[in-house]
Amino acid sequence: MNITLGAAERVCARRDVRLASEGRAGARRSQGETSCFAFARHMSAALCMFGLLIGASAWGTERATPPLIEHFVADIMRSNDADGRAFGVIDKPRATLWIFDHQGRLLDRSPVLVGQARGDVAPADIGTRPLNQVRPHEKITASGRFVTEPGHNLKGEDIVWLDYDAAMSMHRVRHVPGESRSARLATADVADNRISFGCVNVPADFYEQQVKPLFATRSGVIYVLPEQRSITEVFPFATSMHRQGRGR
């Protein structure tokens, strides 16, 4: 089901909390910027491009799929939990998304931006609140199994819903003044990737090449691994080797 504004008028305002409101809130902050700060932004953009080149080189030398991810994917395939669909695995401590086809073959991987706060469960009413009522410790990318739904935001941009009721989606990285989101994707420090209200921000080119064809036009599955609970607690199909908890 393609969730559009016409089909969801009653909730469009709160559904755009993670999508357009972040940009609007940042725009208000930017109204009083001085010319010096504007120059700093241009310098930041230049450094970001340099960082992308350096980061890409370092990224290419890393192991494509760590053992934890390899074993988890094996569990998915063994249990047929994805039900023959393409799927993605997000590991928040690594701030990384791996995408696999319906046969469990790795297609690509990318750094992502996730929720600012550590945790595995977001407040139950998070999808109904305006941004100014979301406290820093509540900005959580929830862990779990999410059957994706293609949709659009208020600007007509295609996105991928992970949890519609919680206003949690996966979309192209957004420009939010003062947050340097694109630059954060290029750094080696995963702490830089904790910045969103809970949505998963993906590099635009990666979204176009991998996310959009597999999840923005059809249904797939995204697994967000826990960072505080054990993997088997969240995913019962996982084997006993995952019973250890994630670092707090």
Side-chain angles (χ1 to χ4, degrees):
M1 177 178 64
N2 191 340
I3 301 176
T4 63
L5 293 176
E9 280 183 301
R10 67 189 186 282
V11 291
C12 66
R14 73 172 187 260
R15 296 303 171 233
D16 206 54
V17 163
R18 306 296 191 279
L19 308 172
S21 295
E22 290 186 21
R24 291 198 300 270
R28 289 195 296 271
R29 291 195 300 271
S30 68
Q31 289 176 353
E33 288 179 345
T34 65
S35 59
C36 289
F37 187 70
F39 173 75
R41 289 206 322 274
H42 289 303
M43 290 298 295
S44 177
L47 290 173
C48 173
M49 292 304 297
F50 178 74
L52 284 171
L53 294 175
I54 301 299
S57 177
W59 185 256
T61 64
E62 295 177 358
R63 182 183 177 94
T65 48
L68 174 70
I69 305 303
E70 290 181 345
H71 292 302
F72 186 72
V73 170
D75 287 339
I76 293 172
M77 299 308 298
R78 173 185 51 78
S79 62
N80 193 33
D81 189 78
D83 196 24
R85 291 172 287 202
F87 60 92
V89 180
I90 296 173
D91 189 22
K92 290 182 287 181
R94 290 185 174 92
T96 301
L97 163 65
W98 290 266
I99 290 184
F100 301 85
D101 68 11
H102 69 286
Q103 294 182 320
R105 294 176 298 200
L106 177 66
L107 298 177
D108 208 346
R109 64 195 171 102
S110 173
V112 294
L113 303 181
V114 294
Q116 178 181 336
R118 291 176 61 85
D120 296 318
V121 181
D125 65 341
I126 197 69
T128 67
R129 298 194 213 165
L131 285 179
N132 60 11
Q133 293 182 17
V134 179
R135 291 168 288 185
H137 71 275
E138 296 176 322
K139 298 176 182 179
I140 295 170
T141 298
S143 300
R145 178 185 187 273
F146 302 98
V147 177
T148 65
E149 295 181 84
H152 293 83
N153 65 9
L154 288 177
K155 296 180 179 179
E157 179 186 22
D158 57 282
I159 62 173
V160 176
W161 288 114
L162 302 183
D163 187 337
Y164 183 69
D165 291 333
M168 176 179 163
S169 70
M170 180 164 58
H171 54 72
R172 300 169 185 84
V173 63
R174 300 189 177 282
H175 171 63
V176 180
E179 293 190 356
S180 303
R181 291 196 174 194
S182 294
R184 288 172 180 271
L185 284 167
T187 69
D189 186 358
V190 294
D192 290 340
N193 297 54
R194 309 301 296 249
I195 189 64
S196 81
F197 275 76
C199 283
V200 178
N201 284 221
V202 179
D205 57 348
F206 187 83
Y207 184 95
E208 296 294 338
Q209 295 168 14
Q210 299 294 345
V211 175
K212 185 173 182 177
L214 294 174
F215 304 105
T217 59
R218 68 188 77 176
S219 177
V221 183
I222 297 293
Y223 300 89
V224 181
L225 300 184
E227 54 188 340
Q228 295 181 331
R229 303 163 68 188
S230 69
I231 290 183
T232 49
E233 187 179 357
V234 179
F235 304 106
F237 62 81
T239 60
S240 59
M241 68 168 297
H242 297 305
R243 292 189 182 279
Q244 70 276 14
R246 298 299 296 261
R248 294 182 181 273

